[in-house]
Amino acid sequence: MQLRESTDVSLLNVEQSFSSKEEAIRFLIKQLKQNGNITSESTFYQAVMEREALSPTGFEGGLAIPHGKSDAVVKAGFAIATLKQPIDDWESVDPTNRVNLVILLAIPTAEAGSTHLSLLSEFVIRLTDTAYKNRLLQAKSPEEMLVRLDETEEKENSISSNENQKLVLGVTACPAGIAHTYMAAEALVKAGQELGVKVKVEKQGANGIEDRHSTKDLESAEAVIFAVDVSVKEEERFSHLPKVKTSVASPLRNAKQLVQKALNKGESEARGEFKEVSATHTEEDGQSWKTEVKNSLLTGISHIIPVIVAGGMTLAVAVFIAQIFDLQALYAEEGSWLWLLRQLGGSLLGQLMIPILAAYMAYSIADKPALGPGFAAGVAANLIGSGFLGGMLGGLLAGYFLKYLKAKIQPKGTFAGFISFWVYPVVGTLVVGSIMLFVIGRPLAALNTGLLEWLSGLEGANALLLGAIIGAMVSFDLGGPINKAAYTFCIGAMASGNFIPYAAFASVKMVSAFSVTLATRLGRTLFTREEREIGKQTWLLGLAGITEGAIPFMINDPLRVIPSLVAGSAVTGAIVAYFGIGLNVPGAGIFSLALLQGPPLFFAATIWLGAALVGAAISTFLLLYTRRHKVQKQLKAEKEAA
């Protein structure tokens, strides 16, 4: 692939100076706009920042590859900048990474599965070669960089010719299935070459399974390294091998140690007999039960988020049309086009969400054979009215039952296909479905109903406390695990028919963004130029329900910023919950104003937005107060030192 065909000399920059990640990204976005790659700087910037919030785009060795997929991109391409001074606070896989090479990819939404993957995988594979990366960094002009983009050297692999060498297998996979997956694979292969070991890595990424291990490799390997943040596909293929399990980021830091650990395990642990399909599993080498359950829940949630957003926004569109054009009668008329649109959104949320959650939780534990029983468990949860709680329990039940079934009944010989494609899904569905419907169904439904009634009956101090807790969790780590825990609770409550927690959640999401903008505008002298620039746009991210815009402030001064944001957010959550305002459309941002439930719409909208502004005012005051105290303390220390 010729990289220079996807860029232009006007998009290549050498020895630039940026004070922050946001400044670098905005600079490159502006160039893409001038070159005709994108139609809107603000829209594409939001797409890039939404991707930044998912996982780090900084890697190691000074490299960062931010990227965005958006309808604002009309021509796929990329812009590059080398930096005079590294950016120290770019969120990276390697915490010590100081970014001095930034590559921004712009991909049309329609090309997300093709051009996006091709460009990104090509870059990460080439950039694992230190010599190639240094040639880009050392370019003295855009023209020189353009030439060097496609100057690659054939990698010599004298090791591969040695048939007596030990073989270590690897599997890499990350949630996005792109950058980390490929870079981890390259790091393991390179480490093997340096240690005199043959390492073959299977990438389980967004393109599916690439470089699948052959039967010969599986038979002759000493051990396998799982460098993954998601479940390994077809993990039973490796059941006979000693295993090393780690995160997908680990090979970028200590690939040699991982390969050596795999070799040591291969020498010290007994190697099982290779079978074409096997599901045996060594608990000692596997994940702990708690980790497996946590990963299962996260896998399920990651798969329902697109369904939640799609269903919620489809339902929102139907509501907007009905309200704007006074079509409430058509909205309620069974069989009408507006009623069908409403049913489409509602079905995604009400009928598909819980089965998908249960299915992919089961898949995380027992792979593809658990999908059918997992879906059945989710459908059963809907039938018995056990809601989100039933879906989670059903997913775990399906996953662990299929894991047991695979260990006891292994597909082999003449009946291998029959066992895989009939016994596993049919027996699993009948057993798991029956347990859900006839054994634990009524207790679960009663528990879910009781929880729903308790939530619905929260008034006064109880409602204030619930809202305050949700608010504090949302802004404690701004998109981190505590924030995600609050999100999971609110979505679970929504699935059970209680919409108050998510309304509080959605209002609180604006508090941190508004606070940062207000504080940097009112106390200009207390903040650096970079902080003021960040503050100019965080309020827009807040309107879209994105909390991550305040992360740079939290990182730079967590002891002052976190309590300030949490205090205002707790007040906001408490106000919304106290007034019983509900919201059943997730991810709508400021458009939630027209979709609120409970009190009359104008009153509900006033309280919901007003609560966010009150919370923002409190957090702004605290941000200014604590920052002023910090500045005064620093000035006093400087005077004493002088």
Side-chain angles (χ1 to χ4, degrees):
M1 181 180 186
Q2 294 290 306
L3 291 176
R4 70 186 68 178
E5 294 177 359
S6 299
T7 191
D8 185 83
V9 70
S10 64
L11 298 175
L12 306 178
N13 309 271
V14 298
E15 298 183 347
Q16 296 293 311
S17 296
F18 303 116
S19 59
S20 66
K21 174 178 76 173
E22 286 73 20
E23 185 180 353
I25 289 174
R26 285 192 177 278
F27 174 83
L28 295 176
I29 288 176
K30 185 174 182 179
Q31 290 194 325
L32 288 167
K33 175 67 164 60
Q34 293 172 347
N35 193 57
N37 292 76
I38 62 176
T39 57
S40 169
E41 292 183 34
S42 59
T43 301
F44 183 59
Y45 174 78
Q46 182 173 341
V48 173
M49 296 312 292
E50 287 175 355
R51 172 59 188 85
E52 288 292 307
L54 294 177
S55 61
T57 56
F59 296 97
E60 45 88 35
L63 175 64
I65 311 180
H67 45 283
K69 295 171 287 185
S70 172
D71 292 332
V73 182
V74 294
K75 181 173 66 175
F78 60 88
I80 301 179
T82 61
L83 279 57
K84 288 182 180 179
Q85 298 295 328
I87 297 175
D88 295 329
D89 60 351
W90 199 302
E91 296 85 358
S92 301
V93 171
D94 179 1
T96 64
N97 188 36
R98 304 177 71 227
V99 172
N100 57 8
L101 174 61
V102 182
I103 302 171
L104 175 63
L105 306 186
I107 308 296
T109 302
E111 299 178 31
S114 53
T115 310
H116 183 202
L117 298 181
S118 299
L119 269 179
L120 193 48
S121 61
E122 187 69 24
F123 261 122
V124 297
I125 290 172
R126 291 191 187 188
L127 288 164
T128 54
D129 181 358
T130 304
Y132 176 82
K133 181 173 63 178
N134 287 339
R135 285 197 296 273
L136 296 184
L137 286 169
Q138 293 163 7
K140 299 301 181 184
S141 67
E143 292 77 13
E144 185 178 353
M145 183 183 289
L146 185 66
V147 173
R148 293 186 175 188
L149 272 175
D150 292 308
E151 285 183 352
T152 57
E153 298 175 356
E154 292 295 326
K155 296 182 181 180
E156 297 182 2
N157 191 359
S158 57
I159 296 171
S160 61
S161 61
N162 185 352
E163 295 296 330
N164 296 322
Q165 249 180 340
K166 291 184 176 180
L167 171 64
V168 172
L169 302 182
V171 176
T172 59
C174 64
I178 308 172
H180 299 76
T181 299
Y182 291 94
M183 295 192 80
E186 289 294 312
L188 289 172
V189 171
K190 185 177 179 181
Q193 292 174 349
E194 294 175 1
L195 292 171
V197 179
K198 186 187 295 185
V199 177
K200 291 187 175 182
V201 183
E202 175 178 294
K203 278 86 71 177
Q204 298 188 356
N207 274 336
I209 298 179
E210 298 181 61
D211 300 324
R212 177 187 286 271
H213 294 307
S214 66
T215 300
K216 182 180 178 181
D217 293 335
L218 292 167
E219 288 177 328
S220 58
E222 300 290 324
V224 62
I225 300 170
F226 291 153
V228 298
D229 285 343
V230 294
S231 298
V232 176
K233 297 176 183 176
E234 302 174 26
E235 185 176 349
E236 63 270 19
R237 292 176 293 154
F238 308 96
S239 60
H240 62 294
L241 294 174
K243 301 173 185 66
V244 173
K245 292 194 174 186
T246 187
S247 68
V248 73
S250 291
L252 303 181
R253 299 189 293 268
N254 57 355
K256 281 187 180 180
Q257 291 92 318
L258 290 173
V259 174
Q260 189 60 57
K261 184 177 180 181
L263 288 172
N264 294 341
K265 278 206 167 189
E267 293 175 357
S268 63
E269 297 184 9
R271 185 178 179 277
E273 179 185 354
F274 172 71
K275 298 177 182 178
E276 187 173 350
V277 180
S278 177
T280 54
H281 175 76
T282 304
E283 285 298 331
E284 182 181 354
D285 294 329
Q287 299 170 321
S288 68
W289 181 80
K290 289 182 179 180
T291 300
E292 191 170 50
V293 170
K294 182 193 75 172
N295 290 344
S296 170
L297 179 58
L298 291 176
T299 299
I301 289 174
S302 71
H303 280 84
I304 64 170
I305 286 175
V307 177
I308 290 172
V309 174
M313 293 311 297
T314 301
L315 188 59
V317 168
V319 173
F320 275 130
I321 292 174
Q323 292 182 350
I324 293 172
F325 298 103
D326 194 22
L327 297 175
Q328 283 84 357
L330 190 66
Y331 180 83
E333 181 184 338
E334 184 173 348
S336 69
W337 66 269
L338 192 54
W339 182 88
L340 290 172
L341 191 64
R342 165 193 171 190
Q343 293 301 308
L344 175 62
S347 296
L348 286 171
L349 291 173
Q351 297 177 20
L352 285 185
M353 182 175 71
I354 291 175
I356 290 174
L357 171 73
Y360 282 97
M361 285 182 65
Y363 169 80
S364 174
I365 296 169
D367 210 4
K368 289 182 181 177
L371 278 173
F375 275 112
V379 171
N382 281 343
L383 290 173
I384 61 180
S386 61
F388 200 80
L389 181 63
M392 288 192 295
L393 185 59
L396 293 173
L397 176 64
Y400 282 110
F401 178 74
L402 262 293
K403 189 175 183 179
Y404 169 81
L405 199 62
K406 288 166 63 181
K408 295 298 181 181
I409 307 175
Q410 298 175 13
K412 53 187 175 182
T414 306
F415 295 99
F418 174 77
I419 292 172
S420 296
F421 297 103
W422 196 93
V423 173
Y424 288 164
V426 174
V427 173
T429 296
L430 287 173
V431 171
V432 173
S434 297
I435 292 174
M436 288 290 294
L437 290 172
F438 307 121
V439 179
I440 62 176
R442 289 186 178 179
L444 268 181
L447 180 61
N448 186 67
T449 301
L451 179 62
L452 184 60
E453 290 177 352
W454 177 75
L455 287 172
S456 300
L458 285 178
E459 295 179 355
N462 289 331
L464 286 170
L465 180 60
L466 175 66
I469 292 173
I470 291 173
M473 293 176 70
V474 171
S475 293
F476 184 82
D477 56 358
L478 301 176
I482 294 177
N483 176 289
K484 291 294 187 291
Y487 176 77
T488 302
F489 171 77
C490 295
I491 290 297
M494 181 188 295
S496 298
N498 186 283
F499 308 129
I500 293 175
Y502 193 86
F505 180 88
S507 181
V508 170
K509 288 173 73 176
M510 296 186 286
V511 172
S512 59
F514 289 176
S515 303
V516 166
T517 296
L518 282 169
T520 53
R521 299 299 292 173
L522 297 175
R524 295 178 59 85
T525 58
L526 301 175
F527 298 90
T528 65
R529 182 175 64 84
E530 294 78 14
E531 289 173 329
R532 293 197 298 271
E533 288 299 316
I534 295 172
K536 287 180 180 179
Q537 65 263 358
T538 53
W539 70 277
L540 285 172
L541 296 177
L543 290 178
I546 299 172
T547 61
E548 285 77 8
I551 285 178
F553 288 81
M554 183 180 72
I555 292 175
N556 291 336
D557 193 8
L559 294 179
R560 294 177 177 83
V561 172
I562 291 176
S564 300
L565 297 181
V566 165
S569 299
V571 171
T572 296
I575 293 173
V576 174
Y578 179 80
F579 283 95
I581 298 170
L583 178 62
N584 67 343
V585 180
I590 193 62
F591 296 110
S592 301
L593 281 170
L595 305 168
L596 298 171
Q597 299 180 353
L601 183 58
F602 180 77
F603 177 78
T606 302
I607 295 298
W608 186 81
L609 182 58
L613 295 176
V614 169
I618 294 171
S619 292
T620 299
F621 170 77
L622 293 174
L623 284 172
L624 291 172
Y625 177 80
T626 54
R627 178 57 66 97
R628 183 174 289 108
H629 179 73
K630 177 183 177 181
V631 170
Q632 290 173 348
K633 188 176 180 181
Q634 289 175 340
L635 290 175
K636 182 179 179 180
E638 291 173 0
K639 288 180 180 180
E640 291 176 352

